[in-house]
Amino acid sequence: MTNRSLYQWNTLLKSLSRDKQWQQVLCQFIQMFRCAEKPDNFTIPIALKACVELRQVKYGEIIHGFLSKDASLASDLFVGSALIDMYAKCGRMTQALTVFNELENPDLVTWSSMVSGFDRNGFPFEAVEFFRRMATSSHVCPDRVTLITLVSACTKLSDSKLGRCVHGFVMRRGFQNDLSLVNSLLNCYAKSRAFKEAVHLFKVMAEKDVISWSTLIACYVQNGAAVEALRVFNEMMVSGIEPNAATMLSVFQACAASHDLEQGRKSHELAIRKGIETEVKVSTALVDMYMKCFSPEEAYTVFSRISKKDVVSWVALISGFTLNGMAHRSVEEFSKMLLGNNTRPDAILMVKVLKSCSDLGFLEQAECFHSYVIKFGFDSNPFIGASLVELYSRCGSLVSASRVFNEITLKDTVVWTSLITGYGIHGKGTKALETLNQMVQSSEVEPNEVTFLSVLSACSHSGLIHEGLRIFELMVRQYKLVPNLEHYAVLVDLLGRVGELDTAIEITKRMPFSPTPQILGTLLGACRIHQNDEMAETVAKKLFELESNHVGYYMLMSNMYGVKGEWENVEKLRNAVRNKGIKKGLAESLIEIKRKVHRFVADDNMHPENQPVYGLLKELDLHIKQDFEDSAYFETEGGSLL
């Protein structure tokens, strides 16, 4: 074989790199050395690029060692930038920094490689600090690529103040019309909870593309303004911008949050027309949306069409069934996943399944799931530990719940709270208070809003009014936690249970929220228990304005009127329910036989085995009557002998 010139070697390596034959690039680079041909500043970057693509950082280090023996190559900016890029993309920022510091006059590309390297490797603070060094350097001026990387670092830091500083820098440098850069700033504001700044920036943007619109829609969703998000989406459609998969994900989230099933179905049709429904992320978002809009059958139809279901898809389905009061379906689907699918559950899915199991309340099933958790190594996860504590508590086994709690090595706030919740469920308010004291005194973790909510609920169920009020004060004054609606609802329930109705009403007037139907419903129930008819009528009037289609509130008032013999008012309420077409939901019973859950409602004719069930009931009825007659006979006979 004739010897190749350096030009020919470089041409060969360039051709191989263009075809992405990275293994061949390194082979030919090694062959080049064997032929005693010395590489130049064009050859080295190609070889380093191959090291990046193959993740062969050791080869890169060997090349770096070769360069250290050649001063002219080691000081070359083109080679230095390639070395920095190789180390940065292989996660070796310490070596990248060493190379950078050895360069005499780093250029823009070299500085930018360091900033992007720190950002890419999870060091956003260092990326910002390095940019500061770059900005104060007299001979380098940041370009749009560097600024986009800087904004990315600010986004990861969730620092809107820093984002505003960068925004000002962008304006001064004249990049305010660069769409990619402005979109990055918009995303930074959106993810840093700078809602007003994001909306204002969007309004003043000279040009908007699908990324701009999608970012704003996501911003509204993340800030709890789902209805506004859907309004922006409709504006986008009117403006002629075509949505992409990212847009539709945010739209489905908005539909789920606002329970807008009609808009959800329309958006689903749009996703089908655009051909993006088949993407797993989109299909999963659809499953979640239909579940949260209380249409589980439509959700299941979408789920069935997903060709490659991942663990996130299963989480959406299983948690959705539980949300819709169909915990037995959640457990059934989990079993199907284990038997017929290659997907292995993760910790999040296990938490969801344990929640479903706790809603069913079957102890034997709980023990089976506990065994599965231990077998597959999930027992070290504190969230799963907390879920197990809650599971056993809801299945009626506080002994097992306490045992699991004691076996958890690292107890965080969630774990402590789960045990407190368990005591509350069983009406053991004193034990819940003792556990809170133990948590505060013997551990480094502090109670949060959920912990105090659990303690207040425990006090309410146990009638510990003074202790409950003390805990509420402790939460606000010592721990500086702001009570939310749920805390006030439990406080009202606590006072209502012991007949302190005037105090409860006063709290609903003083709290910084308008009373919700849940709070007023709790108050109405307390009025019925303590026979305060005047207050009940006032509360009911407000309730019927807020939630006119809730049959339970009408039934409460109807029962109160019935006790007093006010049948005319009873009839008025019944007519109101009839005219509104409100129907009472059927109560259901669940039983577990041979690890299969069976669901029954009153006068159930839909169960596949309803005839044998009703036959057995008749047979039992006959046995009961016979036993009753026999016992009555023996009592009579026994009486006659005396």
Side-chain angles (χ1 to χ4, degrees), residues 400-588:
S400 298
S402 299
R403 187 177 67 250
V404 172
F405 175 83
N406 291 330
E407 288 172 355
I408 299 172
T409 309
L410 298 173
K411 298 178 179 70
D412 61 5
T413 305
V414 178
V415 174
W416 282 97
T417 301
S418 63
L419 186 63
I420 291 169
T421 303
Y423 285 128
I425 291 169
H426 290 266
K428 296 182 180 293
T430 305
K431 285 290 290 181
L433 289 168
E434 288 174 4
T435 305
L436 176 67
N437 290 332
Q438 185 185 352
M439 172 186 178
V440 171
Q441 293 169 10
S442 66
S443 71
E444 296 180 359
V445 298
E446 287 195 346
N448 59 16
E449 294 91 341
V450 182
T451 312
F452 280 108
L453 182 63
S454 296
V455 178
L456 286 169
S457 297
C459 291
S460 178
H461 290 136
S462 305
L464 302 174
I465 178 170
H466 298 297
E467 290 84 349
L469 293 172
R470 180 180 63 81
I471 289 296
F472 190 85
E473 288 292 315
L474 181 73
M475 178 182 79
V476 175
R477 298 188 184 281
Q478 182 173 326
Y479 288 92
K480 309 297 181 186
L481 298 173
V482 180
N484 58 32
L485 268 170
E486 290 182 289
H487 293 100
Y488 282 108
V490 175
L491 194 61
V492 168
D493 181 51
L494 175 68
L495 294 165
R497 284 173 185 261
V498 294
E500 296 285 342
L501 299 178
D502 291 329
T503 309
I505 280 284
E506 191 60 32
I507 283 175
T508 63
K509 290 177 181 177
R510 289 205 325 260
M511 66 184 189
F513 314 98
S514 298
T516 62
Q518 179 196 3
I519 291 176
L520 294 175
T522 301
L523 200 54
L524 182 61
C527 291
R528 183 200 171 195
I529 293 168
H530 298 285
Q531 299 178 351
N532 191 326
D533 302 334
E534 185 180 345
M535 186 181 290
E537 289 186 347
T538 304
V539 172
K541 185 179 178 182
K542 182 68 176 174
L543 257 176
F544 295 153
E545 290 174 7
L546 289 173
E547 200 165 359
S548 60
N549 292 326
H550 196 300
V551 69
Y553 304 141
Y554 290 95
M555 290 180 67
L556 268 175
M557 283 306 297
S558 177
N559 291 337
M560 289 186 71
Y561 286 136
V563 169
K564 293 191 297 179
E566 297 180 11
W567 303 112
E568 187 178 338
N569 286 330
V570 171
E571 191 59 32
K572 282 182 181 177
L573 285 175
R574 286 180 178 173
N575 288 333
V577 170
R578 202 176 295 118
N579 293 335
K580 289 176 180 288
I582 308 170
K583 292 183 179 180
K584 181 186 175 184
L586 291 173
E588 67 175 20

Side-chain angles (χ1 to χ4, degrees), residues 133-260:
R133 279 180 60 186
M134 177 182 179
T136 55
S137 176
S138 58
H139 63 281
V140 179
C141 183
D143 64 356
R144 58 179 295 278
V145 176
T146 318
L147 289 170
I148 288 172
T149 305
L150 175 64
V151 175
S152 171
C154 295
T155 305
K156 289 171 184 173
L157 291 168
S158 295
D159 192 336
S160 59
K161 184 178 179 182
L162 185 58
R164 283 190 287 271
C165 293
V166 176
H167 191 178
F169 187 88
V170 167
M171 298 287 285
R172 290 194 300 274
R173 295 285 179 172
F175 290 113
Q176 63 269 21
N177 292 326
D178 187 295
L179 186 56
S180 297
L181 181 52
V182 177
N183 277 340
S184 297
L185 282 166
L186 184 63
N187 184 53
C188 177
Y189 284 137
K191 291 183 177 175
S192 304
R193 300 290 180 183
F195 181 67
K196 291 180 181 178
E197 287 87 345
V199 173
H200 175 72
L201 176 58
F202 181 83
K203 287 179 179 177
V204 300
M205 285 175 68
E207 181 187 357
K208 302 178 183 76
D209 62 3
V210 65
I211 297 173
S212 317
W213 286 95
S214 300
T215 304
L216 186 67
I217 292 167
C219 179
Y220 274 114
V221 174
Q222 290 158 11
N223 284 275
V227 175
E228 280 297 298
L230 294 175
R231 180 190 62 77
V232 173
F233 173 66
N234 289 325
E235 280 183 23
M236 170 184 161
M237 296 302 294
V238 171
S239 71
I241 300 290
E242 292 295 321
N244 59 17
T247 318
M248 299 312 299
L249 285 174
S250 296
V251 170
F252 293 139
Q253 289 170 4
C255 293
S258 60
H259 307 300
D260 193 337

Side-chain angles (χ1 to χ4, degrees), residues 6 10 13 29 32 38-48:
L6 178 60
N10 285 343
L13 292 174
F29 180 72
M32 181 179 179
K38 181 184 174 184
D40 64 2
N41 62 351
F42 186 84
T43 323
I44 298 295
I46 297 174
L48 290 172

Side-chain angles (χ1 to χ4, degrees), residues 237-468:
M237 296 302 294
V238 171
S239 71
I241 300 290
E242 292 295 321
N244 59 17
T247 318
M248 299 312 299
L249 285 174
S250 296
V251 170
F252 293 139
Q253 289 170 4
C255 293
S258 60
H259 307 300
D260 193 337
L261 182 58
E262 185 181 353
Q263 178 67 60
R265 284 170 176 159
K266 289 178 181 176
S267 302
H268 185 185
E269 290 173 6
L270 179 62
I272 293 171
R273 289 200 302 272
K274 295 290 178 187
I276 57 177
E277 187 216 22
T278 53
E279 293 186 29
V280 177
K281 285 185 179 180
V282 175
S283 296
T284 301
L286 275 166
V287 171
D288 184 65
M289 182 271 293
Y290 279 124
M291 285 296 189
K292 288 177 179 174
C293 290
F294 310 109
S295 183
E297 293 311 314
E298 286 181 276
Y300 193 72
T301 300
V302 174
F303 179 81
S304 301
R305 290 202 298 264
I306 301 175
S307 56
K308 294 182 179 179
K309 301 174 179 67
D310 60 13
V311 70
V312 182
S313 309
W314 285 101
V315 167
L317 183 76
I318 288 169
S319 61
F321 275 132
T322 305
L323 176 69
N324 281 272
M326 303 166 72
H328 59 290
R329 282 291 302 276
S330 297
V331 175
E332 287 172 11
E333 292 302 324
F334 180 73
S335 300
K336 287 181 186 177
M337 186 196 85
L338 295 181
L339 293 171
N341 194 280
N342 294 325
T343 306
R344 183 176 175 181
D346 61 2
I348 296 172
L349 181 52
M350 288 308 305
V351 168
K352 300 294 183 184
V353 173
L354 292 174
K355 171 68 173 69
S356 305
C357 189
S358 69
D359 284 0
L360 293 173
F362 298 138
L363 183 58
E364 185 181 349
Q365 197 174 63
E367 290 168 345
C368 290
F369 275 107
H370 190 180
S371 299
Y372 182 89
V373 163
I374 295 170
K375 182 179 179 180
F376 289 95
F378 288 112
D379 50 324
S380 60
N381 186 297
F383 291 100
I384 289 180
S387 298
L388 281 170
V389 172
E390 182 184 354
L391 171 59
Y392 277 122
S393 299
R394 293 188 179 276
C395 291
S397 181
L398 271 177
V399 173
S400 298
S402 299
R403 187 177 67 250
V404 172
F405 175 83
N406 291 330
E407 288 172 355
I408 299 172
T409 309
L410 298 173
K411 298 178 179 70
D412 61 5
T413 305
V414 178
V415 174
W416 282 97
T417 301
S418 63
L419 186 63
I420 291 169
T421 303
Y423 285 128
I425 291 169
H426 290 266
K428 296 182 180 293
T430 305
K431 285 290 290 181
L433 289 168
E434 288 174 4
T435 305
L436 176 67
N437 290 332
Q438 185 185 352
M439 172 186 178
V440 171
Q441 293 169 10
S442 66
S443 71
E444 296 180 359
V445 298
E446 287 195 346
N448 59 16
E449 294 91 341
V450 182
T451 312
F452 280 108
L453 182 63
S454 296
V455 178
L456 286 169
S457 297
C459 291
S460 178
H461 290 136
S462 305
L464 302 174
I465 178 170
H466 298 297
E467 290 84 349

